[in-house]
Each structure stands twice: as C-alpha cells, then as structure tokens.
Amino acid sequence: MPLKVLEATVSSFDGVFEKFRSEAAKNKANLILFLADKDPATSLSWCPDCVRAEPAIYKKLEASSDDIALLRAYVGDRPTWRNPQHPWRVDPRFKITGVPTLIRWEKDTVKGRLEDHESHVESKIEALLADK
C-alpha cells in the first residue's frame, strides 16, 4: 500500500511520532501534516486554508506509486491553536506558525516544508515529495 496514514492529536503525538520515526526508513517519503481539528458542528476544519489544501495534498499523495507515510497531526480547536505556547509552536523540531503545514521528515529532521499559504499548490507538493 503506497500511502500509509497515521493520526495524532497533541496528547497522543509522542507515541504516534515514535512509531512514525521507527518506520521511516521503509518509506520513500515521510510527511507530517499539521492541520486544524474538524468543527463538530460542520464536520469541516475550522481552518479555511486546511479545507483548501487537504484535497490537493491527498490527491498528490494518493497518485504516487511510492511508499509514503503521512502523519496527520491535529493542532486542536481554534483557541487551543491560538495559544502562543501551543506545543508545536514552541517545539524546536517543528516551529509551526500556521496550519496547514506539510513537512518532509528525513533522517530525524525537517528536510522541507510547505507553510499554510502554499500547502495547496500542487507543483509545490510534487516538489516536496520529489525532494527538490
């Protein structure tokens, strides 16, 4: 199966991330997508950029024949994410400033990233996948 998806919240992230890291060498690409939680009232993300970017990201990943791991990391609801001390804002590994953020994880470090304003651009997603 070319695309393997893991999901994590802030509270479950450390354990899921360890599993993701332990399997990283088996994959052509390892990606982490930091995105907003779904609004229970609408079943859509509270973040309009996430709503726009997710279909483009999944389309490119699912079209690839390579083995790709995707860790979807949900940042929480809007008030949780707005906190300047949010764990992924202050984590030196990630330094997330906006959602969605798509990161290529390689050799235990960030190898490339697409920030919120560009994570929906298919050519940039392709370049990140191809490590260019």
Side-chain angles (χ1 to χ4, degrees), residues 42-105:
T42 65
S43 296
L44 294 173
S45 171
W46 57 257
C47 163
D49 289 337
C50 294
V51 171
R52 179 173 63 163
E54 280 188 87
I57 292 168
Y58 301 146
K59 176 182 165 189
K60 288 298 174 188
L61 298 184
E62 289 167 359
S64 175
S65 61
D66 293 326
D67 288 331
I68 297 171
L70 175 67
L71 170 51
R72 285 193 288 232
Y74 292 95
V75 302
D77 61 14
R78 188 183 304 260
T80 301
W81 173 242
R82 293 284 181 227
N83 180 343
Q85 294 304 309
H86 187 285
W88 295 328
R89 288 186 184 275
V90 299
D91 190 318
R93 297 172 297 185
F94 308 120
K95 299 181 189 130
I96 304 301
T97 59
V99 289
T101 296
L102 183 62
I103 287 179
R104 183 176 177 120
W105 186 262

Side-chain angles (χ1 to χ4, degrees), residues 17 20-21 23-32 67 69 93-94 102-113 127-132:
F17 186 57
F20 175 81
R21 289 173 61 207
E23 298 174 357
K26 302 175 189 171
N27 303 309
K28 173 90 167 134
N30 296 284
L31 304 169
I32 307 171
D67 288 331
R93 297 172 297 185
F94 308 120
L102 183 62
I103 287 179
R104 183 176 177 120
W105 186 262
E106 198 172 292
K107 297 185 176 141
D108 234 15
T109 191
V110 173
K111 177 74 174 176
R113 69 193 301 141
L128 186 69
L129 270 175
D131 193 25
K132 294 181 180 167

